Every structure is written in structure tokens, then in C-alpha cells.
Amino acid sequence: MAISRLSSRSNTFLKPAITALHSPIRRHVSTDTSPITIETAVPFTSHLCESPSRSVETSSEEILAFFRDMARMRRMEIAADSLYKAKLIRGFCHLYDGQEALAVGMEAAITKKDAIITSYRDHCTFIGRGGKLVDAFSELMGRKTGCSHGKGGSMHFYKKDASFYGGHGIVGAQIPLGCGLAFAQKYKKDEAVTFVLYGDGAANQGQLFEALNIAALWDLPAILVCENNHYGMGTATWRSAKSPAYFKRGDYVPGLKVDGMDALAVKQACKFAKEHALKNGPIILEMDTYRYHGHSMSDPGSTYRTRDEISGVRQVRDPIERVRKLLLSHDIATEKELKDMEKEIRKEVDDAVAQAKESPVPDSSELFTNMYVKDCGVESFGADRKDLKVTLP
Amino acid sequence: MAALLGRSCRKLGFLSSGHGARRSVSTETGKSLNLYSAINQALHIALDSDPRSYVFGEDVGFGGVFRCTTGLAERFGKNRVFNTPLCEQGIVGFGIGLAAMGNRAIVEIQFADYIYPAFDQIVNEAAKFRYRSGNQFNCGGLTIRAPYGAVGHGGHYHSQSPEAFFCHVPGIKVVIPRSPREAKGLLLSCIRDPNPVVFFEPKWLYRQAVEEVPEHDYMIPLSEAEVIREGNDITLVGWGAQLTIMEQACLEAEKEGISCELIDLKTLLPWDKETVEASVKKTGRLLISHEAPITGGFGAEISATILERCFLKLEAPVTRVCGLDTPFPLVFEPFYMPTKNKILDAIKTTVNY
């Protein structure tokens, strides 16, 4: 890995603390924003376009932020796992742990004006867009203070002010929708793009190809990101796709295959894709990633893949470990500092869970709100057409 | 033994609507099974009795998300029991094609909530194939199985009851079993029926419902409703998991001196109008209950038809106790559902009209 550090501006007044073994003063970890260049471990593979460079421009601050955000996301998903097992989260819960690099890498390359739309595995994408932990947990537990006011649940997180168009239950349904968002952005001419996330399972849906055709025909600034975690619920990609090279499936649409477990590679690819989409129309990014949990909390995740495979990926490709190694080898932080950060994050997550647990369920009148626009005056009937007759607000 | 029965049943299978020699399974004993095991048995028998039958859908290979297809791939091979990619439209379309060549395609849609991409194939292709080709071709061998209905925490996309959409399509049949014993017999009838059938399985009952299910090959006729509880004051009509709730309401009503007659419709399209009509002519009152939203639900069709046929015999307006006119909610499920108390209230109101 090539390193070039232009200037070292770590906090000099705390330098003596580095050598102290048990210093009572906590050392400030590096907040250096000067550029560092790091090579991605795996090269990009491209289809109908040039590959971006393997040298990614980043900074200590950014890499540390990656670590912190990914650790937070990981903790959140693990907490959600326990909450689900404790039956505080009901319904369906699809966890993203293992895929965190995708969420953080993408955010590093774009702004909050760029739109993101994704499938039901949306908890970490929501956090990446600036969502708060307590909003996420509240929504998971169906409380009033949740990001969708408790009416959506795990699969339907949204954040309007960050252009996060949510969490969708039906596989692939978000793809034409996302291209529609890009269509609107093209009209608005505000140099924003839409990232449309879908999985390897959804890659076989007809609506993807319909949307690709239209997006390419009209040169829409849409970036279709295939989060290839190699399993569509219980079916491996080699069993479900004739061509598992999802980045090439766009045929006439250019594509890029990216190591989705490397946050820096993801950042580079997204940056490249955004520039491409604004000039040349749609592009497909295939992110090679992996999920540790099963498809959802109802799926043990081990009936269609071996435990060795899961632990193997965890040992060799874990996104958080990769960034940790980077931080340690570049001396941006010490092992202890990172462990302390993780402890803090753990506490942050626990506090958010506790706070969410306290919040109330939505009022029962909410059952009828927001079906139609206000003042629609439509009558909705309950049982029997006699009791519970409500005029929709 | 099973093979012998299988062959004779296959001959019976092609008789329309199961008229002819019919064995009553309601009193037979068997093994105690839950719903998914009963369906699994039916599938084993179906594949065993007809070498040109196939089971496919998403994740059916390892047994399926509800274990209905356990053991099939191991026993009959990956050529007959296989996973498909994630595309409902493709799965059903493919099934129609297979069926058009004389095979039995037993297709699984993972959740009824996902059936909509295949809606075009079902409505425009499957339902009209025989009709538009002047009986040259048909896809009668097609059976679409899908888990439907509330499960307590399913939310918007794992709880829907879309049966009303399909009941509006002449050319297909819609069947919904209420229990393991019924499910096995009905599913075998559906598979062997020479028309395309959509078979909705109440997912709530997959593990919850346990019943004695005869182990041999048997079929329960389609388009025949069953009076599962006799009474004189009011007729209740329902299907699937809702019948359990309705039965509880009937028991409570009995304590208050109201005698309820409960009918399981079983086949929604084409439905057994005669049985319901006879019952309403006896009781003079009708209550229909289903999980799907009330407006435009199948209860409306039953209500309109019974009104036409029994107008002068009715003592009270036909009443429907159904899901609310909202998307299937997340935390509000208990408010949305047509519960025992709502039904009980409606029974009392109707009887005291």
C-alpha cells in the first residue's frame, strides 16, 4: 500500500501521552484532514467504461469516521438482533451487518442532495444518511418517535431531509421508482444523482431491465447499485442467475464491479459513478459484499451456506477489521483508542435502545391517517359498517 | 397401497367438481399433523402419482420458508423440484407454459403479497387460455400456492389477503383450506383439477393448527361448501384462518342463546351458492367475515348474491365483519383484524334487528 503523508498535524501537545502506558488523560485520536492516498486491495472490473484509479484519496479523519460509523452500524444491527429475539421488535427484520462498508463508502462520495433508495435491508443506509439511532430503534419497535412514526417498521425507514427515499418491501419495486427520482433530478438540473440499491435476488426481476432501458434511453442520472451478497434469501447466485456478472447485465449500460467490503473502494466507485451519471446517463455498480446474518431474523442463514464460509469471510474480509488495520498501520489511532471508541459506541447504542423502549406506541387514530391527503373526506368503514366509521382526515 | 389409490384417484380427478365416488374423510383418523406437514404430504403424493408434475418457486429446494416442500427435492430430484430466480411474473408464466404442454406445474409464490407481478400472467394468460383458443389449449395443470393472511406481526407485506382480486377472474379457481386435513384433500383436488387454480394457505395455521390427517391419498371436492356447525338463528360464512375466530364467536353466542350455523366456503371461485342459500333460507340472517378490507372484499359478492336469492327470507341486512379499509398495518394489527368480539357484536346486532 503506497502511503504519502504530506504533513503531520496530530495534536502535538498530547504527544507525550502516546508513550505513557496508562495515561489518565485520554489521547485525542487523529483528526488530521490532510490527504492520504490508499490503494484498494482489489482492482475494479469494468464493462463499457474505464475503471477508476485504484488510488483513493482520503484522510485520517475520514478513515476514522468510517470506522466509527461502521462500528455504530454493526452495534445497531446486533442490538436489533437481541431486541428481535426478545420480541420487542416484531415482524420482519433484515440485518445489514457485514455490508456496512457500502453504506459509509457511498456517503463519503455524495451529498445529502443526492437521493438514495433501497430495499428492505435499510437500517444502516438510514444511519448513513444521518438518521439517529433512537429514531431507528423506535421505528423497529413500532413506536411513535420512529422515523416513519411507527407505521413502517424495519422495512420502511425514510428520511426526507436527507433525500433517503426508503426502504421497500417488494423486491425490485424500488428500481423503476429510483429511476423516476433520477428523471425528476434531471428536470431540476441540480447536479444531483440517485443511487438505486437492489440485491442479487432482485437482479432477476423484469422491472430492472425495463427501468434500465428507459434510464439509458433518456440519459437519466441514475446509478444502479447491485448489492451482491451472493444469496437471494436462500438461493445462491450461481443457482439463480445465468450470468452472475451483475455489472454486465445492463448490456448497453456501463458497469463496474467493486469490492464492497472495502469502504474506500466503494467511495471511489461512487464518486466515479456520480461523475459518469451526470455526464453520460445510467451506470451499474456491482458491490461484492456479504451478509453475516441470514436473510431475515426468521432465517438462520446456515441451511444454504456453511458456517465455515461465514466465519471465513468474517476473518478475511470484514469491513470494520480492514479499516481497523488501516488505522493501526498508519498510526492514526492505537488499538486501545479504537477499543475505547467501540465501548463508547456500545454505550451510545444501548442508550438509544433504552430511550426508544420508553417511547409510546402511536395513537390508535393513526390507523387511518395518511392514507389519502388531508381533507379528502373519504369515509372508511370498520367492521359491520356501523361502529368504527371514520372520515379519513 | 398408496400407488393403487393414486391411480384410482387420478381417474376420479378428471371428473369435474369431484362428483362421483367420494370417500368421506371427516371421520377417518390419521396422524396428527400441522398445516405445513399436511401440505407437504399432499405434494409428496401429487409428485408420486404423476411423473409429469413439478414443484418450483423461490427457495423450495431446501424445503421452503414454511417447510411445505421439505424432502421433495431429495425424493424426486432436482429436475422436478427446483428453485427459481426471484421473478414472480416469470415463475407463473413459466408454469403456464409447462401446463400448456400437459404437465402439472405446482408453483409456489413465497407470500401472497408478492403475487402481483404475476397478476397479469394469471388474469390475462392463465384464465383465458382455454377460452381464447377454443379449447385447443389449456393450462389446467397449473396450481399456484401462496401463503396468505395475517400472522400477528407480518405488517404490510407479509399479511395480505388478496383473494378478492382473483375471485374477479372467470377462468381460474380460488381455493382456501381451513385446516390440515382439509388442506391436504383440497390441494390434491386443486392439483388434479383440469383448470388453473390459485390455492391460498393461511400462514397463521402452518404450525398452529394440528389435526388428525389420514395418511393415504384423498381428495376433497372443490366448489362444495361445508356446514361445519349447525344452527338456526344466523348463518356465518368464512374461509381459511378466519373460521377459527368465527367458531369462537359462535361458542360465545351460544352462551347467550344464539344458535349459529357456520359454513366453510372452501372454494371461493366458483363458490357453492346452493349451500349458503339453503342455510340462509333456514336462518334468515347472514354474516360474512374475512381478513381482507371490507370494501370490495369477497363478502360483497356473497352478500349481493344471497340478497338476490333470499330477499324475502331475510330478517336482517346481511352484515360483513372484515378488515378495515386501510393497508394492512404494522402495530395496529389488532385494531384492523375482524376479531371475535367484533363478530360477536355483529351477531347480536343482526339477531336483534
Side-chain angles (χ1 to χ4, degrees):
Chain A
M1 274 187 289
I3 313 164
S4 65
R5 197 180 286 222
L6 296 180
S7 70
S8 170
R9 269 189 274 125
S10 23
N11 299 321
T12 43
F13 68 95
L14 283 175
K15 257 204 160 54
I18 298 168
T19 48
L21 281 171
H22 297 287
S23 168
I25 307 162
R26 263 194 70 247
R27 186 194 120 171
H28 285 281
V29 293
S30 176
T31 50
D32 199 341
T33 52
S34 52
I36 308 174
T37 313
I38 299 195
E39 293 264 300
T40 64
V42 174
F44 299 101
T45 326
S46 66
H47 168 72
L48 295 187
C49 68
E50 281 172 25
S51 288
S53 154
R54 276 175 77 174
S55 306
V56 186
E57 233 188 60
T58 177
S59 68
S60 314
E61 186 193 36
E62 185 169 70
I63 306 175
L64 200 58
F66 280 173
F67 180 83
R68 187 174 25 239
D69 291 337
M70 287 200 282
R72 186 180 289 130
M73 290 174 184
R74 178 69 60 93
R75 264 287 95 213
M76 173 181 74
E77 296 297 69
I78 293 177
D81 178 302
S82 324
L83 286 172
Y84 191 89
K85 289 183 176 140
K87 296 217 161 143
L88 280 162
I89 298 178
R90 307 303 307 287
F92 293 84
C93 192
H94 307 85
L95 300 176
Y96 202 71
D97 53 322
Q99 299 184 213
E100 298 92 349
L102 231 152
V104 298
M106 189 178 289
E107 288 300 330
I110 61 178
T111 71
K112 292 292 188 284
K113 264 179 49 198
D114 297 311
I116 299 184
I117 190 170
T118 184
S119 68
Y120 42 77
R121 209 177 293 281
D122 58 354
H123 307 164
C124 299
T125 318
F126 171 72
I127 299 294
R129 288 266 86 180
K132 298 212 291 282
L133 283 170
V134 67
D135 292 349
F137 285 118
S138 300
E139 188 60 39
L140 284 172
M141 294 195 269
R143 308 295 170 100
K144 207 150 115 165
T145 45
C147 50
S148 303
H149 309 294
K151 294 181 67 169
S154 161
M155 295 197 282
H156 306 287
F157 283 18
Y158 293 83
K159 196 165 175 24
K160 184 160 184 192
D161 55 12
S163 311
F164 177 44
Y165 287 83
H168 295 261
I170 301 298
V171 170
Q174 74 274 17
I175 303 173
L177 223 153
C179 292
L181 297 174
F183 189 42
Q185 283 172 328
K186 189 170 171 127
Y187 266 112
K188 279 208 278 190
K189 294 189 178 35
D190 55 5
E191 298 291 291
V193 294
T194 302
F195 283 80
V196 185
L197 278 62
Y198 62 96
D200 46 283
N204 298 314
Q205 280 272 318
Q207 44 193 335
L208 166 62
F209 299 96
E210 294 178 16
L212 272 173
N213 180 46
I214 296 180
L217 196 59
W218 296 343
D219 287 318
L220 304 182
I223 297 140
L224 290 101
V225 181
C226 178
E227 297 181 283
N228 182 6
N229 58 24
H230 303 280
Y231 294 93
M233 224 236 66
T235 308
T237 48
W238 60 271
R239 278 196 221 265
S240 66
K242 175 72 180 173
S243 162
Y246 297 102
F247 68 109
K248 287 195 195 156
R249 292 269 286 261
D251 186 18
Y252 41 81
V253 174
L256 205 61
K257 184 163 172 173
V258 186
D259 178 5
M261 305 295 257
D262 181 351
L264 289 167
V266 172
K267 174 190 167 184
Q268 186 83 321
C270 292
K271 193 155 156 282
F272 173 81
K274 178 171 172 175
E275 282 162 20
H276 183 282
L278 285 170
K279 278 203 306 275
N280 305 323
I283 181 170
I284 297 179
L285 295 180
E286 180 189 334
M287 302 286 184
D288 187 350
T289 182
Y290 199 83
R291 55 166 162 81
Y292 296 140
H293 268 88
H295 164 76
S296 70
M297 286 302 301
S298 329
D299 170 28
S302 48
T303 50
Y304 46 83
R305 52 184 191 174
T306 60
R307 289 193 199 281
D308 286 340
E309 180 187 298
I310 305 171
S311 51
V313 174
R314 214 188 264 273
Q315 269 164 25
V316 177
R317 294 180 71 203
D318 185 84
I320 301 179
E321 290 313 305
R322 176 174 288 186
V323 171
R324 191 198 301 270
K325 282 197 197 100
L326 212 58
L327 290 169
L328 294 175
S329 64
H330 289 271
D331 205 24
I332 301 172
T334 65
E335 187 121 14
K336 184 176 184 308
E337 281 160 354
L338 294 179
K339 284 227 156 40
D340 286 343
M341 193 177 283
E342 285 180 294
K343 255 195 236 138
E344 259 181 55
I345 288 170
R346 205 187 181 120
K347 183 169 183 311
E348 193 187 337
V349 168
D350 289 341
D351 287 345
V353 170
Q355 197 185 340
K357 276 187 189 166
E358 297 297 309
S359 31
V361 251
D363 192 62
S364 43
S365 63
E366 289 283 331
L367 178 48
F368 291 102
T369 57
N370 297 312
M371 274 210 293
Y372 297 102
V373 166
K374 272 191 183 326
D375 298 329
C376 196
V378 173
E379 281 195 324
S380 173
F381 297 102
D384 215 5
R385 290 215 174 214
K386 291 187 187 88
D387 290 329
L388 204 54
K389 190 158 96 170
V390 171
T391 305
L392 294 180
Chain B
M1 174 66 175
L4 195 69
L5 275 170
R7 263 178 293 203
S8 58
C9 278
R10 221 181 309 143
K11 281 201 215 111
L12 289 172
F14 281 97
L15 294 170
S16 56
S17 24
H19 288 274
R22 191 187 322 143
R23 62 195 301 157
S24 166
V25 279
S26 48
T27 47
E28 272 187 57
T29 53
K31 227 168 101 178
S32 208
L33 288 183
N34 59 24
L35 185 66
Y36 78 74
S37 304
I39 289 173
N40 186 244
Q41 251 188 32
L43 291 172
H44 272 273
I45 292 173
L47 288 176
D48 193 33
S49 54
D50 185 351
R52 289 180 74 194
S53 47
Y54 306 86
V55 169
F56 52 97
E58 290 154 25
D59 303 302
V60 299
F62 76 84
V65 285
F66 291 110
R67 310 246 225 110
C68 294
T69 49
T70 322
L72 290 173
E74 286 85 344
R75 183 169 165 203
F76 298 102
K78 300 256 171 80
N79 288 332
R80 291 181 66 195
V81 180
F82 49 90
N83 289 347
T84 59
L86 213 166
C87 46
E88 289 71 20
Q89 182 176 34
I91 293 169
V92 173
F94 194 76
I96 295 172
L98 253 185
M101 290 284 229
N103 300 294
R104 287 191 217 277
I106 306 163
V107 154
E108 177 178 303
I109 298 290
Q110 201 159 82
F111 282 87
D113 315 53
Y114 310 154
I115 202 168
Y116 306 111
F119 197 61
D120 174 65
Q121 285 287 336
I122 296 170
V123 172
N124 283 328
E125 303 304 322
K128 300 175 167 67
F129 209 157
R130 194 190 288 272
Y131 189 83
R132 69 181 186 226
S133 66
N135 205 14
Q136 283 183 77
F137 292 105
N138 71 79
C139 57
L142 176 67
T143 305
I144 301 169
R145 291 179 41 243
Y148 89 101
V151 73
H153 53 261
H156 313 92
Y157 301 116
H158 295 83
S159 320
Q160 289 177 37
S161 299
E163 71 270 5
F165 297 119
F166 297 92
C167 292
H168 196 48
V169 186
I172 58 170
K173 294 193 175 182
V174 179
V175 178
I176 304 183
R178 71 168 186 272
S179 72
R181 197 215 307 263
E182 291 288 312
K184 179 175 167 182
L186 284 171
L187 182 56
L188 282 167
S189 293
C190 293
I191 291 169
R192 292 163 177 163
D193 189 279
N195 295 293
V197 183
V198 181
F199 186 77
F200 287 117
E201 301 164 0
K203 66 172 86 72
W204 203 334
L205 300 181
Y206 274 140
R207 279 169 216 264
Q208 296 269 43
V210 179
E211 204 178 22
E212 297 261 314
V213 179
E215 289 188 64
H216 59 85
D217 186 348
Y218 66 94
M219 301 200 294
I220 293 178
L222 299 185
S223 294
E224 279 188 28
E226 184 185 343
V227 178
I228 58 180
R229 187 193 165 82
E230 295 209 2
N232 297 302
D233 295 327
I234 179 171
T235 303
L236 281 79
V237 175
W239 50 87
Q242 190 62 8
L243 282 165
T244 328
I245 313 286
M246 291 166 89
E247 192 143 32
Q248 288 170 17
C250 291
L251 287 168
E252 297 270 318
E254 182 136 55
K255 293 188 196 141
E256 309 203 19
I258 302 173
S259 158
C260 303
E261 179 145 302
L262 184 57
I263 299 181
D264 176 10
L265 212 53
K266 300 195 210 189
T267 303
L268 269 64
L269 184 74
W271 64 286
D272 184 355
K273 303 181 169 95
E274 282 68 34
T275 303
V276 181
E277 182 186 346
S279 172
V280 177
K281 282 195 166 141
K282 181 175 80 169
T283 63
R285 297 174 189 89
L286 177 61
L287 182 152
I288 308 153
S289 185
H290 56 71
E291 281 176 26
I294 189 169
T295 299
F298 194 61
E301 154 68 23
I302 300 174
S303 175
T305 305
I306 292 302
L307 205 64
E308 278 169 34
R309 293 182 174 214
C310 309
F311 182 67
L312 290 172
K313 294 278 177 137
L314 283 171
E315 301 278 343
V318 174
T319 179
R320 294 176 289 160
V321 185
C322 307
L324 304 177
D325 282 333
T326 69
F328 198 101
L330 190 60
V331 292
F332 297 117
E333 185 169 326
F335 295 112
Y336 168 93
M337 293 289 282
T339 54
K340 175 193 79 172
N341 288 331
K342 288 184 189 173
I343 298 172
L344 192 56
D345 256 357
I347 292 174
K348 290 195 264 194
T349 317
T350 309
V351 166
N352 296 324
Y353 185 76

